[in-house]
Amino acid sequence: MKILGIETSCDECAASVVEDGRIILSNKVATQIELHKIYNGVVPEIASRLHVEWIKSVVKEATVDSGIDLESIDGIAVTNRPGLVGSLLVGLSFAKGLALSLNKPYVGVDHIMAHLYAPYLEHTIEYPYLGVLVSGGHTIISRVAEFNKMDVLGTTIDDACGEAFDKVAKFYDLGYPGGIAIDRLSLEGDPKAFNFPNPSLHKGDHKYDVSYSGLKTAVINQLDQFRNGDAEKSKANIAASFQRAAVDVLMRRVKRALKDTGLTRIVAGGGVVANSLLRKELLGLDNIHTVIPSMSLCTDNAAMIAGIGYHYLEKGIRSDYTLNASSRVPAFRKKYP
Ligand code: KG4
Ligand code: ZN
């Protein structure tokens, strides 16, 4: 089965054709990064307008690259949750229109589950595994039993990990997008230069939860360092010390979850998994088989959407035309009691 995937949940306008949930025939990602750069962050209104302008040609390029014509696809998968609702609606409406005009089935899929599916496009992995999803909007440690069955063990109680990277970078003017800028700058800095906090959430339901808001504030409060001395050196040290702390926060919970669940496999996904230190730590765990997608499949793409969508469509599971977009999936967020 050849499935067309469509992804517009944030600032990447993406389309891809994937065969049988595994073989990528095309993978087109049109990034809006340059157009949001001057604002130092994604502007939702601009993002959705650009998706409207771009979606048709992105889908066309993906089908041309795949070597098949639109009439030959067997179904359409589209992200309908979670994300920026205006952006999601563009992809969802486009997918509905295309499905209707081609008389093909379509299914709305979860962006988070799709990130955790991404490694299946390159590797053979057995369930269950510990799912570690670290992106700009989510930080989730989970037990994944099937492509669509995930038990959330821990999540962030405030900011997402990627969000903290982006905000620290914005505050210190380190570059945009923030995560990759901090990753690069860290190579020149000393991770021990600043001693940032690693909050202990160890009670009951919060055993595997993470918090990034305190760390972010602590990093931002170091601004005084810039008033005396070598600002450029301080920037690299701030970046390296923050990155070290941000990765430690996550790795402590990952190790705890592995120990308690007895799971021996990790599948990691989401944009922050492109981080060099996090990749090194996840891949260096003793007696654990860690699978991480290649860089282009870590960040937002539509191949992961077509890939996971195949598993629904081949079972006859499809969405109807009343399906809406949702900015949040309540199960992925925890509230502090
Ligand atoms: O998965 P993704 O592309 O979009 C969401 O679903 O959110 O993740 C984007 C996030 C951003 O916060 C970005 O700064 C972060 O991933 N990111 C990184 C790196 N590359 C992207 N964070 C740390 N280090 C990186 N190398
Ligand atoms: Zn994402």
Side-chain angles (χ1 to χ4, degrees), residues 14-330:
S16 163
V17 179
V18 173
E19 189 169 357
D20 296 338
R22 299 294 299 259
I23 307 156
I24 301 176
L25 301 181
S26 66
N27 190 12
K28 197 86 211 157
V29 182
T31 180
Q32 303 178 355
I33 285 176
E34 286 305 316
L35 294 131
H36 295 283
K37 209 173 200 161
I38 54 163
Y39 305 101
N40 252 316
V42 177
V43 182
E45 179 76 357
I46 295 175
S48 51
R49 281 167 190 266
L50 289 171
H51 286 310
V52 172
E53 285 174 29
W54 293 3
I55 185 80
K56 194 171 156 202
S57 36
V58 169
V59 168
K60 192 166 180 190
E61 281 178 41
T63 41
V64 170
D65 284 2
S66 73
I68 60 159
D69 53 41
L70 265 181
E71 281 71 26
S72 309
I73 60 158
D74 298 292
I76 300 167
V78 58
T79 311
N80 81 309
R81 63 191 186 277
L84 301 172
V85 84
S87 293
L88 286 165
L89 278 171
V90 177
L92 179 60
S93 308
F94 192 86
K96 283 181 185 174
L98 202 56
L100 197 60
S101 63
L102 295 169
N103 196 22
K104 305 279 182 189
Y106 96 99
V107 66
V109 303
D110 185 307
H111 182 86
I112 300 298
M113 295 307 292
H115 267 304
L116 289 176
Y117 182 84
Y120 284 80
L121 297 162
E122 302 172 309
H123 304 269
T124 302
I125 313 159
E126 280 176 43
Y127 293 102
Y129 59 74
L130 191 79
V132 180
L133 188 284
V134 204
S135 72
H138 295 85
T139 315
I140 303 170
I141 297 173
S142 62
R143 184 182 188 281
V144 182
E146 279 174 56
F147 75 95
N148 60 349
K149 194 171 180 310
M150 168 167 112
D151 289 322
V152 176
L153 300 172
T155 174
T156 180
I157 59 159
D158 40 53
D159 293 350
C161 183
E163 193 180 348
F165 270 88
D166 294 337
K167 285 187 181 155
V168 166
K170 184 174 177 176
F171 191 84
Y172 284 100
D173 202 15
L174 303 181
Y176 178 85
I180 192 147
I182 289 182
D183 198 351
R184 282 202 196 119
L185 197 57
S186 293
L187 297 173
E188 298 154 30
D190 175 5
K192 296 201 181 91
F194 297 91
N195 194 10
F196 292 130
N198 185 335
S200 295
L201 297 164
H202 47 74
K203 291 193 192 111
D205 286 351
H206 290 297
K207 234 172 140 183
Y208 312 110
D209 285 344
V210 294
S211 159
Y212 280 102
S213 146
L215 172 60
K216 179 191 73 188
T217 308
V219 176
I220 286 173
N221 285 344
Q222 293 298 324
L223 188 66
D224 281 353
Q225 299 288 334
F226 290 87
R227 300 209 175 99
N228 335 295
D230 184 346
E232 283 315 309
K233 188 160 181 290
S234 298
K235 275 192 182 189
N237 285 345
I238 285 274
S241 305
F242 161 72
Q243 178 174 279
R244 178 78 258 169
V247 169
D248 281 352
V249 167
L250 191 67
M251 288 308 295
R252 270 178 55 186
R253 307 317 188 275
V254 166
K255 286 178 191 162
R256 188 179 284 167
L258 284 170
K259 189 162 165 265
D260 294 352
T261 59
L263 291 167
T264 54
R265 283 183 287 268
I266 291 182
V267 169
V272 185
V273 175
N275 183 269
S276 54
L277 181 62
L278 181 57
R279 289 173 90 87
K280 194 168 146 233
E281 295 276 324
L282 285 169
L283 290 167
L285 289 165
D286 287 340
N287 303 318
I288 301 293
H289 178 53
T290 300
V291 185
I292 298 181
S294 55
M295 292 294 194
S296 63
L297 293 175
C298 275
T299 45
D300 288 351
N301 65 88
M304 64 184 193
I305 306 301
I308 197 169
Y310 158 79
H311 293 274
Y312 290 98
L313 292 165
E314 62 97 21
K315 290 178 181 60
I317 302 169
R318 49 183 70 185
S319 300
D320 66 31
Y321 289 97
T322 62
L323 182 72
N324 209 342
S326 341
S327 58
R328 282 171 187 250
V329 174

